[in-house]
Structures are given as C-alpha cells and as structure tokens.
Amino acid sequence: MVLSNTTIPSTSDAALIATLNNAAFQIIRYGSIFIFIFGTIGNTLNILVLSQSSFYSSSCAQLFLFASAMNLFAIISGLTSRMLAGWGADLTATNRFFCKLRGFTVNTARPVAIWYILFAMIDRWLLSSVKTERRQMSSVKNARRAMVISLIFATLYFSHVIYCQEPYQINSPQKCYGATLVCRYVTDLSFT
C-alpha cells in the first residue's frame, strides 16, 4: 500500500504556511498603519476644503463632504483596533462593549460613505440632464434628505451587529466576530 503525498503534510508545506501567515501578519501590521495615516490625512483635507462656505450651495460638495466624514469615522473606528491587534493590544478582542461598538460603527459607516458618493454621482447626472425637471431635483435639500434617510436605513439595517458581535471568538477571521454561524452569515451577507 502506497500513501500519496497529498495526505501527509510535509515540513516544506508547513514552512510555506508559516511563511505566508507571517507575511500576512506583517502586511496587516504595517499596511493598516499606512492606510490609517494616508486615509486620515486625505479625508481630513477633503473635509477642510469642502466645509468652506463657498461649497454650501452645492449638493454634490455636501455629499462628498459627508462621505469624507463617514470615511474618516470608519477609518478611525475600524483601523485603530486593527492596528492595535497587530501589536497585541486590541480592546475589541477582549472587551464586549468595544467589540460591539466597532462592529456596528464600521458596518454602518463604510456603506453609508459609499452611498453618499453614489448619491453625488446621481446628483451630477441629474444636474447634467437636458430635462428641466431632473435638473431641479439636484438640490442641497434633496441631498441632505437622501443622507439622513440612508443613515437611518443603515443604522436599522446593521443593528443586528450589536447583538451578534462578541469578543473571544475562535476559528474566525477576527477575535471580535459573529457569535454564531447564523450571525456571521447575516453580517457578511448584509455587508455585501
């Protein structure tokens, strides 16, 4: 009876897996710092420029302003714990309150920021329309209405994360993750 090499892991396979795990860990450790620094600087500059009074009457500028604010909020709330996890000091992995808060804020802020950019694209399309009725729909009032409605929708849509997220998770991508398999599927599918 001959055993194939596919059933018995070799030491070279184990070394390759260890090397890949270490590379992924280093990318998470240092890549998150890079994204945090440049994301924070970029979004802060966007907020400073777009919050000037000359942009108050532009619905598109208002949408981009709040998209940058939501992106900055997502970066600060999401990447801070990810960076600390690379150094073994992640509070969301051990503290239930911070785990739930991070899960909810990140799952809410990232889609809302994307939706605001989508609304800005729709606003530009409306403004460039040859039909007068469509051009009139492009207004700061409608942009703000869309932002408030989408924020309320996202808050309700991702409210299950407050229930589902728990620290100390084993066999999951993060220590702070869905407590049950159903929670994990619902959270991942709703974010998608």
Side-chain angles (χ1 to χ4, degrees):
M1 179 172 170
V2 176
L3 293 175
S4 69
N5 281 343
T6 59
T7 58
I8 301 173
S10 67
T11 55
S12 64
D13 290 342
L16 176 64
I17 291 170
T19 302
L20 291 174
N21 282 339
N22 186 42
F25 179 75
Q26 297 303 325
I27 288 171
I28 289 171
R29 177 183 269 187
Y30 296 108
S32 60
I33 294 171
F34 177 81
I35 293 169
F36 183 84
I37 290 170
F38 286 102
T40 302
I41 291 170
N43 283 301
T44 302
L45 291 175
N46 282 347
I47 291 168
L48 290 174
V49 169
L50 293 170
S51 62
Q52 294 177 6
S53 60
S54 59
F55 291 111
Y56 285 164
S57 62
S58 171
S59 53
C60 186
Q62 292 287 308
L63 287 161
F64 280 127
L65 169 66
F66 286 101
S68 293
M70 292 305 286
N71 273 326
L72 182 62
F73 185 65
I75 287 171
I76 291 171
S77 63
L79 273 179
T80 303
S81 64
R82 182 66 71 126
M83 287 186 311
L84 292 173
W87 303 99
D90 182 13
L91 287 176
T92 62
T94 58
N95 185 296
R96 191 169 190 238
F97 174 77
F98 288 123
C99 173
K100 291 177 179 294
L101 181 66
R102 180 196 179 273
F104 178 72
T105 57
V106 170
N107 278 297
T108 303
R110 288 188 300 180
V112 166
I114 293 168
W115 294 343
Y116 288 176
I117 293 170
L118 175 67
F119 294 152
M121 181 183 71
I122 293 168
D123 180 73
R124 292 292 93 185
W125 176 78
L126 289 170
L127 199 58
S128 65
S129 177
V130 293
K131 296 185 178 183
T132 307
E133 305 86 42
R134 288 186 184 158
R135 286 195 307 270
Q136 289 174 345
M137 290 174 66
S138 172
S139 67
V140 173
K141 180 181 175 183
N142 285 340
R144 288 183 180 161
R145 185 178 295 146
M147 287 189 287
V148 168
I149 289 170
S150 63
L151 186 59
I152 291 169
F153 174 76
T155 301
L156 294 174
Y157 187 70
F158 291 105
S159 62
H160 70 278
V161 173
I162 296 170
Y163 170 76
C164 286
Q165 296 286 99
E166 291 292 339
Y168 302 111
Q169 295 301 310
I170 300 170
N171 295 330
S172 66
Q174 300 172 356
K175 296 289 184 194
C176 173
Y177 205 64
T180 66
L181 195 58
V182 172
C183 281
R184 292 176 185 186
Y185 282 135
V186 169
T187 301
D188 292 345
L189 286 174
S190 64
F191 187 74
T192 302

